[in-house]
Amino acid sequence: MVSQNGVSNESNNKHAQDSGHSRLNELGYKQELKRDLSVLSNFAFSFSIISVLTGITTLYNSGLNFGGPVVLVYGWLVAGMFTMAVGLSMAEICSSYPTSGGLYYWSAKLAGVSWAPFASWITGWYNIVGQWAVTTSVNFSLAQLIGVIILLSTGGKNGGGYVASKYLVLAIHGGLLLVHAIINSLPISWLSFFGQLAAVWNILGVFFLMICIPVVATERASAEFVFTHFNTENESGISSKPYIFLIGLLMSQYTLTGYDASAHMSEETKSADINGPKGIISSIGISIIVGWGYLLGITFAVTDIPRLLSPDNDAGGYAIAEIFYQAFKSRFGSGTGGIICLLVVAVAIFFCAMSSLTSNSRMVYAFSRDGAMPLSFLWHKVNQQEVPIYAVWLSAFIAFCMALTSLGSIVAFQAMTSIAVIGLYIAYALPIFFRVTLARKSFVPGPFNLGKYGIIIGWISVAWVATISVLFSLPVAYPITDQTLNYTPVAVGGLFIIVVSYWIVSARHWFKGPVTNVGTHSNV
């Protein structure tokens, strides 16, 4: 279509009707990524990264060990309520600043001119390292689950089944990352399809498993057990119920992370100033509901906690795998149905890791666009399909390298992945903290805002992140030795020291925070 002056309306006004594109230009950035995601696609990325099948399945052992049913059922609701507060605060800021940089860009805008570079620097590094840790932990968890599936498929631990070595698990981890990187090299329209498929799979998978497992199981727990039993019989030397309940929240909080993906995908989302916030809030809300249903369904099949946690059971101590396997074995004489159910979970985790790498690469793209990373000129290049291809492969490579720590010590690997929870949540809290303090009066809200409740919800969010940062740094076993020490504060504090030292020695001289690029040449 050509206007009266002979200029193509399509070329001049390609994104004229899109509020997210207009807002991006106002913030000083040109459109380089393809803006092709709907609100459903944006939601799908965050929902599939939260992936209740992934987080709950992976850390169900922790929940059973620390508190059992009471912590699983009620701890989920407690963590969900406060996570929603954090999500609402982030959604409000996202509506005002819909860029791929997300959190670190928000911190720069909200901290004021003098504090902007440092606020942006520390938020960005916690966010990007937290995301690398998430990609690592999710993908490695899938590799471990595949090892358990192999074990059960070959007869189980008590039937001469094949036990995967740590080297095989690492090799599977590497192979999965290769597949994820290839998928993430495809155009965004393909990723949008996979993202929506992932969301559908997660929802249908949850409903299938929460109904199937209790129905198939020949022995079921009573409602009294599920809603009132508090397990204090852990082998960690901890007997205080409040202490057990608090550290038992880790499973829930680990699961409810990654929804910042909606912000990182905002430059590829239509009307991102509206749909980005919707993606954040809806992904958290729906995850809370379906996750609680999954927890209830699985926990009704729990009748013997010590047996499920025993490393001598058929699944080698992997609680949910043992639940699935024994449910079908007791009913039909074969655990094949349980293995199929585990494959349903494995596919969900596969999609979770895929979407995590997508979000991760967009953060690398945005952070390097502002010159914050070594070789920034390379990582923010986009290819002919408008995909930040180098950022994708860098993120996959780092996720593989982080998993190498598992060869030396599983304790070291756990310390590395602990950044996935606390590191990410610190990055979530920093822009919210600046919003309720330095920018309390200057913040200009976007189409989605919390009105007069923004400050209150913001302070609740900051307080919750401070609380879990302390909780998940506490010892989880006594007596404390080099093998039982909780290395979380070491990992998170070590990251802080490295980032701040780099800032003092070098970055403060050249990093000025987010750099606008309107009017510059494309990086293609």
Side-chain angles (χ1 to χ4, degrees):
M1 181 177 179
V2 179
S3 62
Q4 292 179 347
N5 61 9
V7 178
S8 171
N9 285 334
E10 184 177 354
S11 60
N12 278 349
N13 301 310
K14 183 178 180 181
H15 299 282
Q17 303 304 312
D18 188 276
S19 57
H21 178 83
S22 300
R23 180 58 180 151
L24 185 66
N25 287 158
E26 290 172 12
L27 296 174
Y29 290 111
K30 62 184 178 182
Q31 187 73 42
E32 293 182 302
L33 303 176
K34 189 174 183 180
R35 194 176 288 274
D36 201 35
L37 298 181
S38 64
V39 62
L40 178 61
S41 297
N42 184 284
F43 150 80
F45 277 108
S46 281
F47 183 73
S48 57
I49 291 177
I50 293 175
S51 180
V52 296
L53 287 176
T54 299
I56 291 175
T57 302
T58 302
L59 285 185
Y60 193 77
N61 277 48
S62 175
L64 272 185
N65 194 46
F66 295 110
V70 165
V71 172
L72 293 169
V73 172
Y74 301 109
W76 178 264
L77 297 178
V78 171
M81 177 180 67
F82 286 109
T83 298
M84 180 58 80
V86 176
L88 285 168
S89 295
M90 287 172 59
E92 182 180 52
I93 302 173
C94 178
S95 183
S96 184
Y97 308 119
T99 77
S100 290
L103 310 169
Y104 84 90
Y105 182 90
W106 304 347
S107 286
K109 297 294 287 187
L110 297 168
V113 176
S114 58
W115 282 100
F118 180 67
S120 176
W121 176 261
I122 196 164
T123 303
W125 276 111
Y126 263 107
N127 191 193
I128 202 167
V129 175
Q131 285 192 335
W132 280 329
V134 167
T135 302
T136 304
S137 63
V138 171
N139 212 70
F140 195 80
S141 296
L142 176 54
Q144 290 177 314
L145 180 58
I146 291 174
V148 173
I149 291 173
I150 294 172
L151 172 63
L152 292 174
S153 299
T154 53
K157 190 169 184 179
N158 296 315
Y162 178 79
V163 179
S165 69
K166 60 184 179 181
Y167 299 102
L168 177 58
V169 172
L170 182 66
I172 295 172
H173 171 73
L176 290 168
L177 280 170
L178 179 63
V179 174
H180 294 315
I182 292 172
I183 293 175
N184 272 277
S185 300
L186 299 173
I188 190 63
S189 56
W190 279 94
L191 287 177
S192 173
F193 167 75
F194 284 122
Q196 293 182 49
L197 178 62
V200 172
W201 186 277
N202 269 276
I203 292 177
L204 294 181
V206 165
F207 282 106
F208 168 71
L209 293 173
M210 65 183 280
I211 295 171
C212 174
I213 299 303
V215 167
V216 171
T218 55
E219 295 183 16
R220 301 183 192 87
S222 65
E224 180 183 6
F225 176 85
V226 171
F227 290 102
T228 66
H229 179 70
F230 195 103
N231 179 39
T232 57
E233 295 180 9
N234 55 72
E235 296 182 355
S236 306
I238 301 173
S239 57
S240 168
K241 284 190 175 183
Y243 196 145
I244 291 172
F245 184 87
L246 292 173
I247 60 177
L249 292 174
L250 177 62
M251 182 209 72
S252 300
Q253 201 61 72
Y254 171 81
T255 304
L256 296 171
T257 56
Y259 43 87
D260 56 316
S262 289
H264 296 303
M265 303 304 296
S266 59
E267 290 184 34
E268 295 161 272
T269 301
K270 299 170 185 175
S271 303
D273 52 343
I274 300 171
N275 292 334
K278 286 182 179 178
I280 293 172
I281 296 167
S282 59
S283 62
I284 295 172
I286 294 175
S287 292
I288 291 172
I289 295 170
V290 298
W292 200 59
Y294 181 53
L295 277 170
L296 285 178
I298 301 306
T299 307
F300 266 106
V302 172
T303 56
D304 188 346
I305 294 176
R307 181 176 61 81
L308 292 177
L309 296 175
S310 171
D312 296 322
N313 63 33
D314 279 319
Y318 201 117
I320 281 190
E322 182 70 8
I323 291 171
F324 290 2
Y325 188 72
Q326 292 301 333
F328 279 87
K329 191 173 183 180
S330 61
R331 173 73 67 177
F332 303 109
S334 169
T336 303
I339 296 172
I340 293 172
C341 289
L342 287 176
L343 289 173
V344 172
V345 175
V347 172
I349 301 178
F350 178 89
F351 282 134
C352 175
M354 178 202 74
S355 298
S356 179
L357 184 60
T358 307
S359 176
N360 208 166
S361 64
R362 270 49 178 186
M363 176 59 196
V364 171
Y365 159 80
F367 209 34
S368 58
R369 178 175 60 185
D370 293 323
M373 297 181 63
L375 302 177
S376 284
F377 71 91
L378 182 63
W379 312 128
H380 79 282
K381 286 185 177 181
V382 295
N383 63 11
Q384 296 297 324
Q385 284 73 45
E386 299 175 312
V387 173
I389 191 74
Y390 297 108
V392 167
W393 287 90
L394 173 68
S395 296
F397 176 72
I398 290 178
F400 178 76
C401 292
M402 290 179 79
L404 291 174
T405 54
S406 66
L407 295 178
S409 166
I410 198 65
V411 175
F413 176 71
Q414 288 168 346
M416 187 74 73
T417 56
S418 66
I419 301 175
V421 178
I422 295 181
L424 266 189
Y425 267 94
I426 289 175
Y428 291 176
L430 284 170
I432 299 173
F433 176 72
F434 298 134
R435 152 77 177 98
V436 298
T437 53
L438 298 175
R440 179 168 182 166
K441 295 181 179 179
S442 61
F443 176 69
V444 179
F448 174 86
N449 63 84
L450 304 175
K452 62 181 180 180
Y453 299 106
I455 299 297
I456 297 173
I457 295 175
W459 275 115
I460 291 173
S461 303
V462 171
W464 177 246
V465 174
T467 301
I468 62 174
S469 296
V470 173
L471 287 182
F472 301 152
S473 298
L474 295 174
V476 293
Y478 292 90
I480 299 174
T481 67
D482 60 341
Q483 290 299 308
T484 61
L485 177 67
N486 185 348
Y487 285 89
T488 298
V490 177
V492 176
L495 176 61
F496 178 80
I497 292 172
I498 293 171
V499 170
V500 172
S501 297
Y502 188 18
W503 171 261
I504 294 173
V505 173
S506 176
R508 65 190 176 93
H509 300 296
W510 50 265
F511 182 70
K512 305 302 179 184
V515 179
T516 59
N517 67 358
V518 168
T520 63
H521 293 292
S522 174
N523 294 308
V524 178

